[in-house]
Amino acid sequence: MIEFFTEPWEHVFMQRAFLVVLMSGVVCGVIGTHVALRGMAFIGDAVAHSVFPGIAIAFVLKTSLVLGGIVAGLVTALSVAVFAQNRRLKEDTVIGVFFAAAFGLGIVVMSTAPGYGGSLESFLFGSVLGISSNDVVTVGVAGAVLLLTTGALHKEFVTVGLDRETARSAGLPIFWLDLALYAMVTVAIVISIQAVGNILVLALLITPAACARLLTDRIGVMMILAPLIGAVSGLTGLYLSYALNLAAGGLIVLTATAVFIACWVFAPRHGLLSRRGPAAARVQSSQFGQP
């Protein structure tokens, strides 16, 4: 039993994978909390697609994939924030336009590179076992900056998330706060794509936050539970991947989904069983003539 936990750490590539998955789980859990509170799951999906052309261009030019993805994501996020100011267009409509265009551009760019099929598969489904030492450093630095920025803007993000009109009347810069959150989602997704891939990265951003939402009504506690669930799900999925020789990204997401289902059923106040409990107790009491 002990070997199950210690053996993977004997391999350098697994050590790197564990570190990146751990950091990605924590960062996505924190950022994902604000995304979930504001009902912005779709923007996470849009950003995940919008980083594709930047990564594709960086791959063709043989430069940093992380930097290329961040630049492309930020450009798309800025475009969405600007075009969504037109009240004739809803935000989700603008998001749909830009993420589809970005993904199409990425496919066109990637098709110009020889042997792009394998690289495309790695991008879509993740390649956590092929992470380099430089990648670990990049994820660590970017993750630390994100966590510090989230802490600095936490109150403002919560205020906007709870009531935009109140935040606007209080003089908060709604546009710039939206743009800041979009940018932070972009960076969180880019540093996590290597772990679970473009298709599954939304789950790492949203699922732990959704679990925490079911477990607590307090935002502060949610900000602790979400990254904890994300980190544990990532590490567990990676262990299972090593033991079963199956895709790491898929198992990480399935582990997080299993935690979500458990929370949905067993959460103390908001779970399925707890919601049925009082009703079942009242029915039983009425059957026995108890007040």
Side-chain angles (χ1 to χ4, degrees):
M1 184 65 179
I2 296 179
E3 291 182 356
F4 175 79
F5 293 101
T6 59
E7 184 177 347
W9 289 91
E10 297 175 0
H11 306 285
V12 175
F13 70 92
M14 286 299 295
Q15 294 172 11
R16 295 170 181 164
F18 277 124
L19 288 174
V20 168
V21 166
L22 178 62
M23 291 185 288
S24 297
V26 171
V27 171
C28 284
V30 173
I31 304 299
T33 297
H34 290 293
V35 173
L37 286 175
R38 296 179 59 176
M40 292 171 54
F42 191 38
I43 186 62
D45 194 28
V47 170
H49 287 74
S50 71
V51 302
F52 188 21
I55 291 178
I57 293 172
F59 174 78
V60 172
L61 298 178
K62 294 180 170 46
T63 60
S64 171
L65 301 184
V66 173
L67 181 60
I70 289 176
V71 171
L74 291 179
V75 170
T76 305
L78 177 61
S79 301
V80 169
V82 171
F83 279 79
Q85 299 303 305
N86 188 324
R87 297 184 181 276
R88 292 285 295 175
L89 297 173
K90 291 186 177 181
E91 186 180 49
D92 59 349
T93 302
V94 178
I95 290 171
V97 170
F98 279 97
F99 96 69
F103 201 71
L105 175 61
I107 292 176
V108 171
V109 173
M110 188 66 82
S111 66
T112 64
Y116 81 96
S119 302
L120 180 61
E121 181 179 353
S122 175
F123 169 77
L124 293 177
F125 304 111
S127 57
V128 68
L129 300 183
I131 288 174
S132 67
S133 299
N134 290 335
D135 293 330
V136 175
V137 174
T138 301
V139 172
V141 172
V145 172
L146 278 182
L147 295 178
L148 290 173
T149 306
T150 304
L153 297 176
H154 175 72
K155 291 182 180 180
E156 288 78 4
F157 283 152
V158 171
T159 302
V160 174
L162 294 178
D163 193 332
R164 292 180 69 87
E165 294 307 318
T166 299
R168 183 175 284 109
S169 62
L172 291 179
I174 305 297
F175 172 79
W176 294 108
L177 288 171
D178 285 346
L179 188 58
L181 185 56
Y182 291 169
M184 293 164 66
V185 170
T186 298
V187 177
I189 285 176
V190 170
I191 66 176
S192 304
I193 278 179
Q194 296 175 93
V196 294
N198 176 264
I199 292 178
L200 302 176
V201 72
L202 182 65
L204 200 59
L205 187 72
I206 298 300
T207 306
C211 295
R213 183 69 172 151
L214 289 171
L215 294 174
T216 181
D217 295 321
R218 301 176 59 186
I219 295 177
V221 177
M222 188 177 173
M223 294 290 292
I224 297 174
L225 288 177
L228 180 61
I229 292 171
V232 172
S233 299
L235 294 178
T236 302
L238 200 53
Y239 268 112
L240 292 175
S241 171
Y242 180 83
L244 303 175
N245 194 28
L246 296 174
L251 285 174
I252 290 172
V253 172
L254 289 178
T255 302
T257 304
V259 175
F260 171 77
I261 294 173
C263 293
W264 186 78
V265 175
F266 300 108
R269 295 184 60 187
H270 304 292
L272 178 65
L273 297 183
S274 64
R275 292 199 304 270
R276 288 186 173 183
R282 287 195 297 271
V283 170
Q284 187 176 23
S285 298
S286 63
Q287 289 176 343
F288 286 93
Q290 296 176 356

